[in-house]
Amino acid sequence: MNIIFSNPAFLYFIPLITVPFILHLISRDLPSKLFFPAIRFIKVGKIPVNEKRKLRDILLMLARVLIILAIILICSDPSFKKETANINKRAVVIFDTSIAAFHKSYMNKINEKLSEIEINQNQSVLFIESSNHIKSDKTNADINLNSFYNTLQPSQESPNHYDAFVKASEFLNDQKGTIYIVSNFDIHGFEQINKQLFHPETKITFIEIPLSAQNKTLVSALATTSQKNKNNSTRISIKINNNNHSEEKTTVKIFSTKLLDEKEVSLKIGETDVVIFDLEIEAGTPLMVTIPNDDFSPDNNYFLRSPNLATIDILLISDPNSPIESLFFSEALNVSSQNQSQNMNIMNETPKKLFLSNYESLDFIIISGCAYQLNDRQLTNIFKRYKAGAHLILTPGKLFRKNLSKLNEYGLIAQTPIKKIGGEYDITPYFITNIKIDSSWLKIFKKTSNDFLSIPIKQYIKLRSSQSSEVLLEVENHDPFLVINRQNSGISFLFSINLIPAWSDLPITPIFLPLLHQIITVTYSDTHKSQIKAMTPGSSYKLVENEELLVYQGLESSKITSSKDPFIKLTTPGCYYNLSSTLNVNSSRDHSNPDILSKFEFISQVKHNKIKKTIQNSDSIDNKMWANLCYLLLLLFAIETILHGLKPKLNMHTNLEEN
Amino acid sequence: MTTDPYEHLDPSVLNAMDDVELMVKSVVNGYLSGIHKSLYQGSGLEFIQYRNYTQGDDLKFIDWKAAARTDKIYTKVFQEETNMDCHILLDCSASMEYGSKSNTNENTISKLQYMKIAASCLTYFIYKQGDKIGCTGFSDDIDHHIDASNKKEHLENILANISNSTAKGKGLSDKIEDFIASSLHNRGIVIMFSDCLHEENRVIDLLKLLSHSNYECILINLFHQDEVDFPFAGSKVFIDSETEDFIVTSPELIKEDYLKEFKTFQENIRSQCIQHKIEPLTISTKLNLGEVFNQYIRFRNGIYK
């Protein structure tokens, strides 16, 4: 007979049995000495009564110990099972020959690991090949481990661990045994073995066939903006690695709803290369990358999607009387748009021809030294756009003061021009000395910040700071040079100089272009963060609260929403998500492998029934009876504790009278 | 409203008084004033006072001259002349120590202290009555022995010896008995203070012997209130004060039997005393001294009636 505990965790409470011991030692009545003359009247025959009391106390303490022990044992749910003659003589070996077996080294590694499977000749062994179609063989004189291994065939299907476990359970028949599971455990299932299907003392050995990420052909796949042209384009950068491939040539294909592009790659063993596809596709288009000679599967697919590429719409309002300034702005923006990853749509206007209603969306409005030429209606519309999220870049003009009150009314500028000062170039030029280098707009100038010192400021508008403004650049006498102000979701940038050479040399210095680009891109990216992310297979994505994620699995999409903070893992085809109870999956179609989910539900059901069956077959006492007994003992214990623990003297006296 | 006439004779109060002589005087004089009318009156030589004639008085004691002068009838009161030796025996065995603070951890009066107070007061009381008073204290051996006399210096000597008595030893022995028997010759009264917790009947045997020697014996059987009530609780180790034998037990369990045994013991002592014409007086340390004096007076009157 063996005792098996269903809830062995309760055995950790066994030290509680020392509590009655401690209570007994603490509360025991140590006799006090008394010199008493009339001792002769104390009858000797009554002395053992005290000993009886001691004995009773000890018995009481032991009873309490036994009660606690009984409660612990009840909670740990022991059961008795008879040993059978052949319990140690059965073993099951499960080989995972699912999709992972197509890895070129997988089968060889299984062969190397066969030595870890310890099977005696006396044991009855069941070999199971776990693929879509279970194949099993009981050992006999003709079949041994190696011969069964030779029959293994890689499958393109998911592992059928459910059927494998059921077969193993039927073979072991609720008896002790040994189970070996040989798998790469790259996909979920085998490590989540339902142990309730087996005898609790069944030894389960996991033999892992490691397939490291380095052996994968595709190292990474990334979708970014294409540099090819200004239209909506996606650049797919696929990094592949030829590790242990015999063939040097492979073809990488990109699919959407059809084959979009393909490239042939020639790689020697150990070499890594990056294959780039520039595709003119809509933002957010699901894509599939296929690499025929991948380590795992000739048809292995990787899924990603193009990022949501947007164009920054910039309205440049320039002074027709000062063409050089508008020239500096427009050229700088064009160069920035061509060289950088962001698309910029630059629209030029003059104050006279400006009708903002012609522009549906504007991300930036640049007013280049011509604010004084704008009428009230134009300014009002500009301010509306500004408050709605369009950002402003302003440079002062000749008659900057003209619209000063209007500008200040809308909080467009935080400073009030006081007077125009500045030294002559040949006498005392000013230089930019104070740079708020930690701001996101100026971070790139960290290494070349000394370049600001080479910009002579010949004249500038002296601005007065306000509380809501932020000064990014200052000239050497601490007058603001570039300040920003925020109004609702809009951000305005105000320079204290015009871009004409009479004011400063800024436009012709190497700093101007990156400074303007930073102002535009950083401001835009801060306010237009993409809600759609390109992800490569195997990558992980952490859903934030109430976030909705569209996951493309092949050409099918699944919508995953989170109520709390689940962590999901995008996996390769043939696998399934690491689902949790907090994750709701609303799929346009069922999962790519719905059978697996349904089988897991079935396992749960089988598990429940199995437990019931085990209880009915065992010799253990019915749980209800245990519970009733437990409650009865607890009640007795409580009553006894109250009577003996709280009122020992009274109780003793009462007992004496009863005796 | 009733008041205790012997309230001032509470032993716990008297125990707090340091001056023994002052204590005994206050006790005895206070007691005597309370029992004025019961003084020994008789046909002795020493005139004490006049008092109004009451029906039944002997006509020979009427002072006729005074009656002629005042037209009121007075009766002469004389102090009775006695020639009685009174000897006090003090049992100073270790068992008498019970009740002291060191013994019980409670601020109660011990049997020894009670005995000292009672014996001192009784000595002074007897001295005031004009009788000769002697005293013998014994524990393992004779601690002190003073022959009977009615001199004042003698009284002071007795009081000092009583006051200096300490409890030790097992009490009565053959040697002590022989000494006492050989020391007391004249007719008189023997007052013995003891808890009688000696070997079986030793106290009775001694008093029986003295009784046969024409002594009138009073046994003041003294117990501590704890011995009477047995108020103990919890587990106790009872150690015999004299033999140091011990018993570990729970008082609650044995109380009933103990009280029964103790009562039997007291009745046994009393019956033996009566049998051998010994006046028994069982008192506890809770009892005030007035009872002791009353008992003594009753006994004294009984002898001379």
Side-chain angles (χ1 to χ4, degrees), chain A residues 29-43 46-47 49-50 53 649 652 656, chain B residues 95 98 103 197-198 227 232 234-240 247 250 253-254 257-258 261-262 265:
Chain A
D29 196 9
L30 289 173
S32 57
K33 289 182 180 178
L34 179 69
F35 285 92
F36 192 68
I39 193 173
R40 67 163 68 168
F41 307 122
I42 299 173
K43 274 192 173 180
K46 286 290 176 185
I47 295 172
V49 174
N50 194 45
R53 185 190 163 200
K649 293 173 187 174
M652 188 173 64
L656 185 66
Chain B
S95 61
Y98 183 80
N103 193 278
L197 297 175
H198 301 279
E227 293 172 299
F232 307 112
S235 188
K236 294 277 185 192
V237 182
F238 292 100
I239 305 170
D240 194 306
I247 295 172
S250 294
L253 300 177
I254 60 166
D257 289 334
Y258 170 86
E261 286 288 313
F262 187 74
F265 170 75

Side-chain angles (χ1 to χ4, degrees), chain B residues 68-220:
Chain B
R69 287 197 299 270
T70 61
D71 288 341
K72 290 182 180 176
I73 300 173
Y74 292 101
T75 302
K76 291 178 184 174
V77 179
F78 297 91
Q79 183 172 1
E80 199 170 18
E81 286 183 351
T82 61
N83 188 20
M84 182 72 73
D85 283 357
C86 192
H87 205 86
I88 295 176
L89 297 177
L90 301 177
D91 175 12
C92 297
S93 62
S95 61
M96 298 296 284
E97 180 69 18
Y98 183 80
S100 64
K101 190 174 182 183
S102 62
N103 193 278
T104 60
N105 291 326
E106 291 176 8
N107 194 18
T108 59
I109 186 168
S110 70
K111 289 193 285 186
L112 182 69
Q113 283 298 110
Y114 189 92
M115 183 180 73
K116 284 181 182 180
I117 295 168
S120 300
C121 294
L122 205 56
T123 300
Y124 186 70
F125 182 77
I126 293 166
Y127 169 77
K128 286 280 284 181
Q129 298 298 316
D131 290 337
K132 292 178 181 177
I133 181 73
C135 180
T136 301
F138 60 89
S139 53
D140 273 339
D141 204 343
I142 298 296
D143 293 336
H144 62 269
H145 174 76
I146 300 164
D147 286 329
S149 174
N150 56 2
K151 292 179 183 175
K152 191 165 189 296
E153 299 79 15
H154 192 77
L155 171 71
E156 291 170 356
N157 191 16
I158 290 174
L159 292 178
N161 275 292
I162 291 174
S163 180
N164 294 330
S165 298
T166 54
K168 61 188 176 186
K170 294 185 179 179
L172 278 177
S173 63
D174 292 344
K175 183 183 170 186
I176 294 169
E177 288 176 12
D178 291 345
F179 177 82
I180 292 171
S182 59
S183 300
L184 304 181
H185 302 293
N186 300 330
R187 178 175 173 270
I189 299 173
V190 169
I191 304 169
M192 183 163 188
F193 286 90
S194 176
D195 56 5
C196 299
L197 297 175
H198 301 279
E199 291 176 24
E200 199 70 25
N201 291 331
R202 263 200 183 276
V203 174
I204 301 297
D205 289 346
L206 174 63
L207 294 178
K208 193 165 67 177
L209 181 65
L210 296 173
S211 182
H212 291 161
S213 305
N214 291 328
Y215 270 95
E216 300 295 334
C217 298
I218 303 174
L219 174 60
I220 299 179

Side-chain angles (χ1 to χ4, degrees), chain A residues 446-468:
Chain A
K446 198 169 185 177
K447 294 178 181 176
T448 59
S449 58
N450 288 335
D451 294 341
F452 283 99
L453 290 172
S454 62
I455 307 168
I457 310 298
K458 300 167 188 174
Q459 63 181 45
Y460 63 96
I461 297 293
K462 186 170 183 177
L463 305 171
R464 189 170 60 198
S465 304
S466 71
Q467 289 182 348
S468 59

